[in-house]
């Protein structure tokens, strides 16, 4: 270039006044847009961009949204997919969440104008869902619930815990480390494969704060095994905390090995704990249900304030409990006949074959349980192109093939998946 490229570069305020960028600022914020303007000016100064096209440069570089989290269509067949944020919320829960984004009466009684108790409506929805529960408390996640309940019952004392249930829940988070970090001493009983009621009874002493019973939600123990149930443990006369993991409210015949709140409380657990974003299909939260006095004691603990959930969670959870059937429940119980029909239609549209494919509950529970279903089989290399497609489609790779499983795809998105496959095959 013959001329000095620095000449004619428009000033920042002049660029930002362009109506197209005013609109972008409304969406993305002043500093994000200004940063891109300054970067474009810097490129122009070095002669790398046309000074007259700064706005166009910025528009081309604008992100779509103020968040970098991107929508992913879950074509893995794994319902509660940890890497995809576990449970997808129901439409009703999403609507509740959006509404709660503004000012809401979360701690106000509109009738009297007085301060109201936080979380009452959600606790009442939980009590209605589990009639055997006197009360309920909602905290950040099940790990928090476990810390809170165990601390409330055994701070400075012992929790009795079977060696067969000292679980790592994932990403190197180990429940025994979590509990030990609170200063509660762990009194291990039994062995990896077998623990009996006598093992627990022998460990009881003046230092016993509570017994902890943890569901093996991500692994199975088979063969020569034995464990003491909640009813037996409750008979020992010490508070029993039961960590259910998955959050089933009542028994589900399809998931016979998953514990549920109703049965566990009826068996005599003092409090039962679970995640809200696994099989319950709600937002991330930890649920603590139990007798009224037990929950009151947990709620009074100072740590409870540090673990309380926000209005968004309360709203989404209430809508999950009171609203229509949640996606997780639909996907776990998807009808194989309908899955086959949809998969055949998709396969025909993209010119691929249908194979049998087992879905999974996933990180949410029921380890090893296969949910019968189908998938469109593609060559393995398609998976990466589907992943980087917009919207992203996450398939499952199995034995050198890319399997597209519609179990966790809402029917309405079948065509989107078809389009993504067509695009991916064309790009290959
Ligand atoms: C998933 C799980 C947890 C942890 O739940 P978060 O809600 O992720 O904190 C704890 N215990 C069991 C048995 C689990 O399955």
């Amino acid at each position: 270039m013959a001329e000095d490229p620095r000449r004619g570069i428009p000033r920042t305020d002049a660029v930002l006044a362009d109506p197209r960028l005013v609109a972008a600022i409304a969406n993305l914020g002043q500093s994000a847009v200004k940063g891109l303007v300054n970067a474009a000016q810097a490129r122009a100064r070095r002669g790398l961009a046309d000074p007259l096209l700064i706005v166009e440069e910025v528009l081309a570089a604008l992100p779509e949204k103020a968040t970098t989290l991107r929508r992913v269509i879950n074509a893995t067949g794994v319902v509660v997919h940890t890497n995809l944020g576990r449970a997808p919320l129901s439409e009703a829960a999403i609507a509740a969440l959006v509404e709660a984004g503004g000012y809401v009466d979360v701690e106000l009684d509109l009738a009297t104008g007085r301060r109201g108790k936080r979380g009452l409506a959600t606790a009442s929805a939980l009590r209605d869902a589990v009639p055997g529960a006197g009360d309920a408390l909602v905290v950040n996640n099940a790990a928090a619930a476990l810390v809170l309940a165990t601390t409330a019952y055994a701070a400075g004392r012992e929790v009795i815990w079977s060696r067969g249930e000292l679980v790592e829940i994932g990403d190197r988070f180990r429940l025994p480390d979590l509990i030990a970090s609170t200063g509660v001493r762990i009194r291990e009983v039994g062995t990896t494969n077998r623990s009996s009621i006598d093992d627990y009874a022998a460990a009881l002493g003046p230092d016993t704060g509570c017994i902890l019973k943890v569901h093996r939600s991500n692994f199975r123990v088979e063969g020569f095994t034995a464990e003491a149930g909640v009813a037996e443990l409750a008979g020992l006369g010490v508070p029993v905390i039961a960590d259910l993991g998955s959050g089933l409210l009542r028994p589900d015949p399809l998931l016979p090995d998953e514990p549920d709140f109703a049965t566990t409380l009826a068996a005599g657990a003092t409090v039962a704990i679970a995640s809200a974003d696994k099989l319950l299909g709600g937002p991330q939260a930890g649920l603590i249900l139990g007798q009224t006095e037990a929950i009151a004691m947990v709620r009074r603990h100072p740590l409870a304030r540090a673990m309380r959930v926000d209005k968004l969670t309360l709203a989404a959870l209430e809508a999950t409990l009171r609203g229509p059937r949640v996606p997780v429940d639909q996907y776990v119980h998807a009808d194989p006949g309908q899955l086959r029909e949809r998969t055949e239609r998709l396969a025909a549209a993209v010119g691929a074959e249908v194979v049998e494919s087992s879905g999974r509950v996933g990180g949410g529970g029921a380890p090893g349980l296969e949910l019968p279903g189908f998938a469109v089989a593609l060559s393995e290399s398609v998976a990466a192109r589907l992943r980087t497609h917009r919207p992203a489609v996450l398939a499952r790779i199995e034995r050198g093939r890319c399997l597209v499983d519609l179990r966790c795809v809402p029917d309405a998105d079948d065509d989107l998946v078809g389009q993504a496959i067509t695009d991916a095959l064309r790009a290959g």
Side-chain angles (χ1 to χ4, degrees):
M1 277 189 224
E3 275 182 50
D4 181 347
R6 278 162 296 193
R7 295 188 54 188
I9 295 176
R11 290 163 39 141
T12 305
D13 50 359
V15 179
L16 288 175
D18 185 288
R20 291 168 294 176
L21 294 194
V22 171
I25 288 169
N27 268 334
L28 302 166
Q30 168 96 9
S31 67
V33 177
K34 192 169 168 216
L36 292 172
V37 169
N38 295 151
Q41 289 167 323
R43 278 197 303 282
R45 244 174 254 125
R46 285 185 280 138
L48 302 173
D50 186 338
L52 299 177
L53 295 177
I54 297 283
V55 172
E56 284 72 11
E57 282 258 325
V58 173
L59 288 173
L62 281 179
E64 275 169 49
K65 293 172 286 185
T67 163
T68 53
L69 278 183
R70 270 166 55 187
R71 175 185 174 205
V72 178
I73 295 180
N74 177 6
T76 62
V78 179
V79 181
V80 181
H81 199 300
T82 306
N83 306 137
L84 298 182
R86 290 193 181 159
L89 296 179
S90 66
E91 302 270 337
I94 292 170
L97 200 125
V98 169
E99 173 109 20
Y103 292 122
V104 283
D105 57 348
V106 64
E107 283 188 30
L108 180 72
D109 180 351
L110 286 171
T112 62
R114 293 219 193 89
R115 184 187 179 124
K117 258 186 101 183
R118 190 184 176 88
L120 273 189
T122 308
S124 140
L126 280 165
R127 281 197 308 272
D128 288 351
V130 183
D135 204 354
L137 179 66
V138 183
V139 293
N140 251 317
N141 51 30
L146 205 52
V147 164
L148 182 58
T150 313
T151 310
Y153 279 101
R157 296 196 291 157
E158 284 182 357
V159 56
I160 304 180
W161 196 345
S162 161
R163 293 194 173 91
E165 300 173 7
L166 300 169
V167 177
E168 173 172 321
I169 53 178
D171 202 19
R172 295 167 74 194
F173 285 112
R174 295 174 170 175
L175 295 184
D177 295 344
L178 182 74
I179 297 305
S181 74
T182 67
V184 171
R185 292 192 305 282
I186 299 171
R187 177 76 181 266
E188 296 178 13
V189 297
T191 61
T192 306
N193 55 329
R194 292 177 72 87
S195 303
S196 73
I197 190 69
D198 294 341
D199 295 323
Y200 287 88
L204 289 177
D207 254 7
T208 305
C210 60
I211 293 171
L212 182 57
K213 174 99 188 130
V214 177
H215 175 54
R216 301 184 187 110
S217 58
N218 56 5
F219 70 109
R220 287 204 299 203
V221 179
E222 285 170 43
F224 185 51
T225 64
E227 64 181 297
V230 168
E232 275 180 292
L233 295 173
L236 293 176
V238 171
V240 175
I241 299 173
D243 176 6
L244 312 178
S246 71
L248 281 186
L249 299 172
R250 54 197 91 80
D252 181 339
L254 187 70
L255 310 169
D257 296 331
E258 287 303 302
D260 65 276
F261 276 111
T263 309
T264 306
L265 291 174
T270 312
V271 296
I273 283 167
S275 301
D277 55 349
K278 293 180 177 172
L279 284 169
L280 187 69
Q284 179 190 302
L287 311 178
I288 313 177
L289 274 65
Q291 297 313 317
T292 314
E293 245 324 291
I295 298 301
M297 177 176 147
V298 174
R299 186 181 275 126
R300 276 196 305 269
H301 194 282
L303 264 182
R305 176 61 180 81
M307 296 172 174
R308 81 172 194 192
V309 290
D310 70 335
K311 58 183 178 169
L312 303 180
T313 302
L314 289 171
L317 182 56
E318 185 185 355
T320 298
L321 293 160
R322 297 249 191 241
R325 197 175 174 206
V326 295
V328 163
D329 192 42
Q330 294 174 37
Y331 300 161
V332 168
H333 297 94
D335 173 53
Q338 279 176 11
L339 278 178
R340 170 170 225 146
E341 259 176 51
R342 289 170 61 201
T343 310
E344 280 171 352
R345 219 175 303 132
L346 177 65
V350 302
E353 74 166 323
V354 174
V355 295
E356 290 193 353
S357 158
S358 307
R360 302 274 172 170
V361 168
L369 182 79
E370 301 194 348
L371 305 168
F374 301 89
V376 170
L378 304 162
S379 70
E380 184 173 344
S381 60
V382 180
R385 292 197 292 276
L386 285 175
R387 227 170 42 233
T388 50
H389 187 270
R390 283 187 179 231
V393 176
L394 187 68
R396 189 166 85 243
I397 293 178
E398 205 174 275
R399 279 180 267 129
R401 285 186 308 188
C402 165
L403 300 184
V404 175
D405 187 325
L406 293 177
R407 172 181 298 279
C408 311
V409 177
D411 300 20
D413 287 347
D414 284 5
D415 291 343
L416 265 180
V417 173
Q419 188 57 52
I421 296 176
T422 306
D423 293 346
L425 290 174
R426 199 173 292 144

